[in-house]
Amino acid sequence: VQLQASGGGLVQAGASLRLSCAASGRTFSSYTMGWFRQAPGKERESVGAISWGGSRTDYADSVRGRFTISRDNAKNTASLQMNSLTPEDTAVYYCAASRRWSYREDDYNYWGQGTQVTVSS
């Protein structure tokens, strides 16, 4: 599976942004899709994940209630809707695919190239 994330940009605090992850390959629907982010000077962290069928989602405490992950298996895409953004959300965001339900980076076999999100105060 090859992944390509897009949709990042510079926004003001309180704004919304939607990231997309386009996947190639016929087995997209069999993967858990995760979103991760890495802020300057910090380790990469999990933002959340969505199960292969889309029935299960979970989020990091820092984004729960503000971010929503969705997927469209017919279009081989996953999305991360981000609302009420704060400067603390500034990071490079990555989408990734895993054969298992997991938040651990090590369980994700395929990664997109990352897209920069910058939130100004």
Side-chain angles (χ1 to χ4, degrees):
V1 176
Q2 292 185 320
L3 305 174
Q4 184 168 0
S6 62
L10 171 63
V11 297
Q12 291 189 330
S16 297
L17 204 58
R18 186 177 182 89
L19 305 184
S20 295
C21 180
S24 64
R26 294 175 292 178
T27 59
F28 173 76
S29 60
S30 63
Y31 289 91
T32 292
M33 293 301 298
W35 285 92
F36 294 79
R37 68 184 181 184
Q38 186 167 22
K42 296 186 178 181
E43 294 187 352
R44 189 156 55 185
E45 63 176 359
S46 172
V47 173
I50 186 167
S51 61
W52 64 270
S55 62
R56 181 180 182 181
T57 56
D58 205 356
Y59 303 90
D61 289 342
S62 58
V63 306
R64 187 173 289 114
R66 299 188 298 122
F67 290 12
T68 302
I69 298 174
S70 60
R71 68 188 297 162
D72 185 337
N73 287 340
K75 296 182 178 179
N76 279 13
T77 59
S79 298
L80 176 65
Q81 176 67 41
M82 305 184 293
N83 299 329
S84 302
L85 286 162
T86 74
E88 288 69 38
D89 295 317
T90 294
V92 177
Y93 283 73
Y94 301 87
C95 60
S98 172
R99 284 286 193 182
R100 60 192 302 177
W101 176 256
S102 175
Y103 308 107
R104 297 177 64 249
E105 283 188 51
D106 291 348
D107 290 332
Y108 284 79
N109 309 98
Y110 305 98
W111 290 81
Q113 82 286 10
T115 184
Q116 176 71 48
V117 173
T118 303
V119 185
S120 63
S121 58

